Amino acid sequence: MKRLVINEPGTFLSARKGMVVVKKRGEKILEVSPSNIGQVVVLTRGASMSSAVVTLLARHNVDIVFYSGGYPEAKLSSFTGKGTVALRKAQYSAQGKPSGAYLAKRFSWAKVVNQKALLREAGKNRPRLSTTLIELSKEEAKIAEEILSLEGSCVDDVRSEIMKLEAEAAKIYWEGFKLILPEDAGFPGRRKRFEMPDDPINIMLNFCYSLLSMEVWLAVESAGLDAYAGFLHVDSPRRPALVMDAMEEFRQPVVDRAVLRLAWSMKNLHSTVENGRLKREARFAAVKAVSERLSEQVSFLGRRLPFHSHIFLQARRIADYLLSRTQDYKPFTMR
């Protein structure tokens, strides 16, 4: 997906003859067709746009996502939707059936398998740490198999056990992740957004996960699914549970690897944060890194496609499984 990133105060977006025009202090700096934009990302509080460009983007199904403090706060989408009554009924019904428990286990299993794959690959490329990282990856593999072996007739039967195993896997994974970061990264272990971390790696991870969630959200809505009715994650009016479910498969291959690249490419990592937030230049670098990763082609189920295409296909595969068009669901893994 091609993102138009608005990162500078004083930027103004307008429409002219079917094109999106970007100006800064009255001077045109870009003119682009809306068909060449997948999403508009607004990272600054000082930008503005005309109602005409909002309408133009909506006609081309281009979402506008506004960030505040480095996290998404608002989204403008096309008013036009599509009827998906049968799919949504199947989605809600599956939460109380073995099929819902199956999906919850598959999402979690894929996350742990991808954690294992990242540690194992890092172990192969770092002779000094090889033994340690390979052993950690083997522990991850055992936990992944335990998740698959859980039994239950509905989501509520397996969710708590999955979460316990996920927590064990996360402890191992972030221990290994710390080892493959630059020595001066100052990574204290994984801290989520609500824990208000002040180290650059956790702040970067949280910001990039929010970017990934927007990509997955688009895919979930495009497939006609209800973003708020999850399987692994509990339904909540404040949190898109299914988006959280579906992005589990892509956290390590997209975000964690992008953050590792950023960490190793930046000379002074600690200068990228201020008051618990990424500075403007660092936010732009993070968006660029995630966008580039989403455009990289990888092979899965016999198809070599960019990550963003695989994300959209996975959402459709969830829908196909819920509608019994397929008998199983194959989560995205990099093994």
Side-chain angles (χ1 to χ4, degrees):
M1 172 186 289
K2 293 181 181 177
R3 287 186 171 84
L4 175 58
V5 181
I6 307 301
N7 196 38
E8 294 288 334
T11 304
F12 178 68
L13 272 70
S14 61
R16 183 177 179 276
K17 295 183 178 179
M19 301 288 281
V20 176
V21 179
V22 183
K23 292 183 178 178
K24 186 176 178 184
R25 296 185 177 88
E27 182 181 348
K28 185 169 75 175
I29 57 175
L30 178 68
E31 184 171 308
V32 60
S33 169
S35 61
N36 288 328
I37 305 172
Q39 188 182 70
V40 176
V41 177
V42 183
L43 298 177
T44 175
R45 297 169 61 184
S48 58
M49 59 188 69
S50 69
S51 57
V53 79
V54 173
T55 303
L56 176 65
L57 291 167
R59 284 176 182 160
H60 287 78
N61 288 317
V62 178
D63 287 350
I64 307 171
V65 182
F66 296 87
Y67 280 68
S68 176
Y71 301 99
E73 290 286 354
K75 178 166 74 83
L76 288 176
S77 302
S78 171
F79 192 72
T80 308
K82 58 182 180 181
T84 55
V85 175
L87 174 58
R88 296 210 173 187
K89 282 185 175 179
Q91 182 181 352
Y92 305 143
S93 175
Q95 291 179 318
K97 295 180 178 177
S99 55
Y102 169 81
L103 281 177
K105 288 190 292 182
R106 297 297 273 173
F107 294 139
S108 180
W109 173 81
K111 177 182 178 180
V112 177
V113 166
N114 285 331
Q115 289 175 339
K116 177 202 73 173
L118 191 149
L119 295 180
R120 187 180 60 184
E121 185 179 317
K124 290 179 180 177
N125 296 326
R126 291 168 173 78
R128 187 175 62 83
L129 296 170
S130 179
T131 302
T132 302
L133 292 172
I134 295 294
E135 284 303 312
L136 291 175
S137 74
K138 289 178 179 177
E139 292 181 46
E140 294 275 355
K142 291 178 185 174
I143 294 175
E145 291 306 311
E146 287 184 57
I147 290 172
L148 279 189
S149 68
L150 293 174
E151 295 184 359
S153 59
C154 66
V155 169
D156 289 339
D157 287 348
V158 297
R159 184 180 285 128
S160 62
E161 289 302 313
I162 291 176
M163 291 299 180
K164 286 179 187 175
L165 291 169
E166 268 203 4
E168 289 180 30
K171 184 178 179 182
I172 295 166
Y173 173 68
W174 293 113
E175 179 185 337
F177 191 83
K178 184 175 183 176
L179 293 175
I180 55 182
L181 285 167
E183 290 185 4
D184 61 350
F187 182 61
R190 179 71 182 117
R191 302 286 187 271
K192 297 182 180 178
R193 179 185 174 188
F194 67 85
E195 296 175 287
M196 302 182 71
D198 57 6
D199 67 287
I201 298 299
N202 273 305
I203 293 171
M204 210 173 283
L205 282 167
N206 291 333
F207 178 70
C208 292
Y209 285 144
S210 71
L211 293 174
L212 175 62
S213 73
M214 289 297 103
E215 190 82 14
V216 175
W217 202 327
L218 286 174
V220 164
E221 289 191 346
S222 174
L225 293 157
D226 184 340
Y228 287 86
F231 298 98
L232 179 60
H233 292 85
V234 179
D235 293 354
S236 167
R238 298 184 303 276
R239 185 178 64 177
L242 184 62
V243 174
M244 304 296 289
D245 286 357
M247 70 182 280
E248 296 290 34
E249 302 170 19
F250 295 97
R251 286 178 183 268
Q252 287 72 42
V254 176
V255 170
D256 295 2
R257 289 174 191 255
V259 169
L260 279 171
R261 288 179 185 175
L262 279 171
W264 281 101
S265 68
M266 292 178 168
K267 291 182 179 177
N268 187 353
L269 199 55
H270 293 274
S271 69
T272 61
V273 298
E274 186 175 51
N275 299 324
R277 297 164 53 178
L278 290 177
K279 292 181 180 176
R280 181 179 302 149
E281 295 78 12
R283 288 201 301 270
F284 186 76
V287 172
K288 186 170 182 286
V290 172
S291 295
E292 288 176 351
R293 185 64 178 157
L294 286 168
S295 297
E296 287 182 29
Q297 296 204 352
V298 292
S299 296
F300 178 63
L301 295 180
R303 301 180 70 177
R304 188 163 183 79
L305 297 167
F307 269 107
H308 59 74
S309 296
H310 285 300
I311 290 173
F312 272 74
L313 285 173
Q314 286 303 94
R316 292 183 189 174
R317 291 184 179 117
I318 294 171
D320 286 343
Y321 175 73
L322 290 170
L323 291 171
S324 301
R325 291 173 179 159
T326 58
Q327 297 305 307
D328 59 3
Y329 170 73
K330 292 184 170 56
F332 182 92
T333 55
M334 296 191 73
R335 290 191 282 176

